[in-house]
């Protein structure tokens, strides 16, 4: 077995020959600042020391009038439905409407995290742009911006004074103001001048505080805002040189060797891609090419994201993400300009993917992310998802990051728990401790993974995945091992969950176990008369049989968060009972019957 701890090295990707290798073999030197001449290095150093850009760019430090040097053409798609809701006077976040007039833009009255992010990052400008012509959207954008500026007239001395001035929200806000400038600078001259002054002040604030971000993704957002301002504001060359060096360094610390962000979240993966695509649009607006290292990073980020897509292009529900719609994922990948295929074995990011004709298996084979890297870390080790012909058969609940829309915030911790994933739990405990505010505690620290192809008696083959984790070893003296064997025709998934003594001497007594299989929202389920299985009917007319060799199969209520971050009532199959501290094994089978 090959160790797949967080520090494990990634194996080569199975990419099309016509695709440029994603750069997972980039050396650390490839994340060094872009190569510049001696003069530009001195300018960058001087700007980092606090010398104003006007003094470095203009003779005798002559002050230049604040204006935008170019109009950016945005290629990142927005949500038309959300944009229409804004025009109607509401922020629409994961199915929940909040009147624009009722939002406290100063942040004194805290609102839900998803609404905070949308409001203070101004990501809603992309949705507003997507729903109609500029003439209709500009008055709405200016009214909201005016209210925000009235509540936030000056930047605070340091980050953390409310959600409006976190580094992540501020970086995204500056980027969105610059990219969607026609929506917010179409009004009268006085308002336009006020907005431009605030844009310049925000850029200067980020210059000083960008390294004080909450996490690496937020820091990347801050650096992207700085570079965008350096490209689009006068006297911006020193700021651009400074920002490019910081951005490339931050990107190197954001992701692993295989291109997966260290938070292991597909939502964070999408956000990183969107930030870099918007920044690339800023470069193109000023007739510049983005740094080669930045383009290589975009190439690295896309294949791991595609690893977590099902047959309809939608995402699996991992690390707080909901099942993001395939149309949204596809539009972002198209905007990235990267033509590639999914990675099947993303060791460092920690996901395995098996494609067997119309059946797709996703398997989490890594410890949860480190606390300082995760916003919504989940105890999902050794959970899996299974889909057939784009229809979800076995899922995880997902959606912890959508808490505050139609998903109540109080459910966030429950959605991050092991029981919210299709995996095994002992004594109703999480394999890794789930703490408040998105933090992760002790538990799984190491996962061993083995992948191989097996010949079958009928001349076909099957993919065998075997993985084990130590999350229950300290508390119960047991190691959880899961073996999944998927036939290459996609008609049969054979599984076995084993509990093995983690020490030389097994502990006495018994402990409760439960193996959960959360069912997709469109699965029609009926329990078998003998209590040892169930029939699963999919909307396309296919019928699957689930059989247990480990005890009675029970049917319980469950929850699944859909592609818009909205909760849907579903069901789950559960095998539960008592197991000896000396260990045990539990076999089960999913087979397509017609």
């Amino acid at each position: 077995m090959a160790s797949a701890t967080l520090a494990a090295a990634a194996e080569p990707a199975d990419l099309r020959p016509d695709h440029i290798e994603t750069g997972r073999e980039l050396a650390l030197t490839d994340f060094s600042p872009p190569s510049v001449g001696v003069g530009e290095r001195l300018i960058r150093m001087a700007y980092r020391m606090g010398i104003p850009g006007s003094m470095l760019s203009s003779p005798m430090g002559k002050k230049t009038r604040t204006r935008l040097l170019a109009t950016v053409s945005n290629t990142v798609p927005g949500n038309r439905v959300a944009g229409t809701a804004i025009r109607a006077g509401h922020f629409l976040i994961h199915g929940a409407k909040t009147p624009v007039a009722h939002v406290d833009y100063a942040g004194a009255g805290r609102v839900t995290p998803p609404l905070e992010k949308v409001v203070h990052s101004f990501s809603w400008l992309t949705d507003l742009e997507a729903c109609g012509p500029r003439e209709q959207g500009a008055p709405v954008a200016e009214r909201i911006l005016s209210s925000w500026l009235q509540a936030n007239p000056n930047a605070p001395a340091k980050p953390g004074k409310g959600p409006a001035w976190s580094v992540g929200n501020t970086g995204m806000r500056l980027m969105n103001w610059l990219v969607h400038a026609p929506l917010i600078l179409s009004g009268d001259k006085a308002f336009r001048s006020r907005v431009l002054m605030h844009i310049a002040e925000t850029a200067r604030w980020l210059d000083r505080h960008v390294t004080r971000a909450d996490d690496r993704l937020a820091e990347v957002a801050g650096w992207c805002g700085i570079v965008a301002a350096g490209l689009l504001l006068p006297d911006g060359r020193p700021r651009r040189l400074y920002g490019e060096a910081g951005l490339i360094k931050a990107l190197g610390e954001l992701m692993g060797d295989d291109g997966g962000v260290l938070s292991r979240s597909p939502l964070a993966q999408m956000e990183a891609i969107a930030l870099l695509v918007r920044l690339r649009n800023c470069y193109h607006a000023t007739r510049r090419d983005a740094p080669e290292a930045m383009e290589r990073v975009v190439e690295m980020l896309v294949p791991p994201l595609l690893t977590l897509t099902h047959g309809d292009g939608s995402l699996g529900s991992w690390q707080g993400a909901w099942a993001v719609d395939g149309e949204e994922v596809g539009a972002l990948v198209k905007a990235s300009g990267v033509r590639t295929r999914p990675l099947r074995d993303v060791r460092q990011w920690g996901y395995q993917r098996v494609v067997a004709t119309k059946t797709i298996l996703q398997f989490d084979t890594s410890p949860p992310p480190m606390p300082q890297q995760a916003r919504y870390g989940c105890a999902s080790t050794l959970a899996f998802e299974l889909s057939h012909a784009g229809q979800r058969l076995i899922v995880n609940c997902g959606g912890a990051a959508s808490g505050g829309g139609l998903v109540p915030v109080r459910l966030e911790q429950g959605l991050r728990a092991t029981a919210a994933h299709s995996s095994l739990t002992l004594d109703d405990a999480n394999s890794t401790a789930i703490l408040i505010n998105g933090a992760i505690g002790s538990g799984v620290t190491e996962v061993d993974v083995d992948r191989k192809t097996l010949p079958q008696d009928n001349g076909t083959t099957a993919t065998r995945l075997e993985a084990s984790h130590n999350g229950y070893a300290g508390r119960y003296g047991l190691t959880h091992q899961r073996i999944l064997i998927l036939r290459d025709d996609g008609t049969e998934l054979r599984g076995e969950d084993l509990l093995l003594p983690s020490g030389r001497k097994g502990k006495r007594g018994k402990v409760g176990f439960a193996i959960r299989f959360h069912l997709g929202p469109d699965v029609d389920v009926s329990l078998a008369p003998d209590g040892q299985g169930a029939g699963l009917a999919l909307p396309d007319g296919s019928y699957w049989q689930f059989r247990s060799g480990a005890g009675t199969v029970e049917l319980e209520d469950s929850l699944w968060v859909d592609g818009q971050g909205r909760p849907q009532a579903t069901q789950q199959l559960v095998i539960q009972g008592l197991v000896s501290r000396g260990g045990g094994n539990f076999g089960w089978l999913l087979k397509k019957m017609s």
Side-chain angles (χ1 to χ4, degrees):
M1 291 187 184
S3 177
T5 59
L6 286 176
E11 294 184 354
D14 180 19
L15 300 178
R16 286 204 307 256
D18 63 342
H19 172 66
I20 299 173
E21 176 60 29
T22 60
R24 291 181 299 146
E25 299 171 356
L26 284 176
L28 291 176
T29 54
D30 292 305
F31 288 104
S32 58
S35 178
V36 294
V38 175
E40 290 187 321
R41 284 202 299 271
L42 291 173
I43 291 173
R44 184 168 62 203
M45 182 176 67
Y47 191 81
R48 187 170 60 242
M49 294 172 63
I51 299 177
S54 58
M55 293 184 64
L56 296 170
S57 300
S58 304
M60 304 302 292
K62 182 180 178 182
K63 190 171 182 180
T64 308
R65 179 173 61 90
T66 301
R67 59 191 177 89
L68 294 189
L69 303 179
T71 300
V72 180
S73 177
N74 175 49
T75 60
V76 177
N79 187 312
R80 291 177 59 88
V81 175
T84 302
I86 292 172
R87 287 175 56 185
H90 297 87
F91 289 112
L92 180 63
I93 313 294
H94 305 316
K97 287 184 177 181
T98 302
V100 169
H102 293 176
V103 174
D104 178 9
Y105 296 101
R110 297 301 294 267
V111 296
T112 62
L115 179 59
E116 279 185 352
K117 184 173 183 178
V118 167
V119 168
H120 295 297
S121 71
F122 277 69
S123 62
W124 53 268
L125 284 173
T126 307
D127 301 330
L128 191 61
E129 183 184 75
C131 77
R134 185 183 71 188
E135 293 75 17
Q136 297 177 5
V140 177
E142 289 176 359
R143 282 198 301 271
I144 299 175
L145 176 56
S146 180
S147 297
W148 191 93
L149 291 176
Q150 186 175 356
N152 299 275
N154 299 299
K158 58 182 179 180
K161 300 296 184 181
W165 293 99
S166 69
V167 170
N169 283 343
T170 304
M172 293 179 69
R173 178 169 67 248
L174 180 59
M175 173 81 75
N176 284 316
W177 282 348
L178 294 168
V179 169
H180 300 290
L183 281 176
I184 60 174
L185 295 176
S186 299
D188 61 74
K189 184 177 180 180
F191 182 74
R192 191 162 59 246
S193 177
R194 182 184 174 198
V195 173
L196 286 170
M197 286 179 59
H198 205 92
I199 287 175
E201 181 187 2
T202 300
R204 289 192 294 269
W205 186 90
L206 275 174
D207 288 342
R208 299 190 301 270
H209 300 298
V210 64
T211 57
R212 302 175 67 178
D214 293 335
D215 55 40
R216 292 300 182 193
L217 183 58
E219 183 177 342
V220 166
W223 285 115
C224 284
I226 288 172
V227 176
L231 290 165
L232 296 168
L233 295 180
D235 300 326
R237 182 185 176 206
R239 175 178 280 132
R240 174 179 61 81
L241 293 171
Y242 166 69
E244 286 174 343
L247 174 62
I248 300 304
K249 180 176 183 293
L251 288 171
E253 296 170 345
L254 174 71
M255 59 189 191
D257 294 340
D258 50 29
V261 295
L262 297 182
S263 67
R264 305 193 60 232
S265 166
L267 292 179
Q269 196 85 4
M270 291 184 68
E271 188 173 319
I273 294 170
L275 282 167
L276 296 179
V277 171
R278 283 193 175 93
L279 185 56
R280 177 202 288 160
N281 293 337
C282 296
Y283 276 100
H284 291 173
T286 57
R287 301 178 184 271
R288 291 178 176 272
D289 291 328
E292 182 181 351
M294 193 185 98
E295 294 289 3
R296 295 280 282 171
V297 167
V298 176
E299 292 178 358
M300 292 172 66
L301 288 168
V302 174
L305 177 68
L306 296 178
T307 295
L308 298 183
T309 55
H310 286 286
D312 60 355
S314 61
L315 286 178
S317 303
W318 301 104
Q319 293 301 318
W322 52 91
V324 179
D325 285 342
E327 184 177 341
E328 184 177 347
V329 177
L332 179 62
V333 172
K334 181 179 179 181
S336 76
V338 178
R339 295 180 61 243
T340 185
R341 63 187 293 181
L343 303 182
R344 67 190 185 108
D345 184 0
V346 195
R347 287 292 177 100
Q348 192 171 33
W349 205 30
Y351 299 103
Q352 295 283 328
R353 173 188 177 91
V354 182
V355 179
T357 61
K358 296 181 179 180
T359 301
I360 293 178
L361 170 69
Q362 298 174 9
F363 190 26
D364 183 352
T365 56
S366 180
M370 300 296 287
Q372 64 270 27
Q373 295 159 349
R375 297 180 182 179
Y376 299 97
C378 297
S380 58
T381 309
L382 300 197
F384 76 97
E385 289 201 352
L386 186 74
S387 65
H388 174 74
Q391 300 169 95
R392 294 170 189 253
L393 191 60
I394 305 297
V395 300
N396 301 308
C397 296
S402 68
L406 292 182
V407 175
V409 174
R410 66 179 181 273
L411 290 184
E412 178 195 312
Q413 277 192 273
L415 293 173
R416 297 166 56 214
T418 305
H421 298 80
S422 293
S423 188
L424 175 145
T425 60
L426 284 181
D427 199 27
D428 290 328
N430 294 313
S431 56
T432 300
I434 297 297
L435 309 178
I436 62 173
N437 299 325
I440 286 287
S442 61
V444 179
T445 58
E446 185 174 344
V447 179
D448 290 330
V449 187
D450 183 52
R451 177 173 180 148
K452 62 181 63 175
T453 300
L454 301 178
Q456 302 292 290
D457 294 338
N458 58 2
T460 62
T461 59
T463 299
R464 181 183 188 274
L465 292 170
E466 178 181 334
S468 61
H469 75 70
N470 63 345
Y472 292 120
R475 285 168 286 177
Y476 305 105
L478 294 170
T479 296
H480 176 207
Q481 183 180 57
R482 170 165 274 184
I483 300 172
L484 300 177
I485 302 175
L486 179 64
R487 283 178 43 166
D488 284 357
D489 62 4
T491 61
E492 180 182 291
L493 176 66
R494 190 174 297 274
E496 184 175 12
D497 287 287
L498 300 93
L499 291 168
L500 307 172
S502 56
R504 293 184 178 180
K505 185 178 181 181
K507 296 184 178 181
R508 295 182 179 181
K510 295 186 176 182
V511 62
F513 76 92
I515 309 174
R516 301 179 184 277
F517 303 85
H518 296 273
L519 303 177
D522 298 319
V523 176
D524 187 10
V525 58
S526 58
L527 293 177
D530 64 0
Q532 301 296 303
L536 310 175
L538 296 180
D540 65 353
S542 62
Y543 183 80
W544 293 70
Q545 188 177 57
F546 178 85
R547 297 297 297 175
S548 165
T552 303
V553 177
E554 301 174 0
L555 188 62
E556 297 182 2
D557 291 335
S558 184
L559 176 73
W560 179 73
V561 182
D562 70 9
Q564 302 301 318
R566 302 168 302 192
Q568 305 290 336
T570 56
Q571 295 177 294
Q572 59 177 312
L573 299 175
V574 184
I575 306 169
Q576 55 189 330
L578 295 174
V579 62
S580 165
R581 295 291 187 100
N585 63 295
F586 316 99
W588 46 269
L589 174 71
L590 263 170
K591 187 176 179 64
K592 186 174 182 289
M593 306 304 293
S594 64

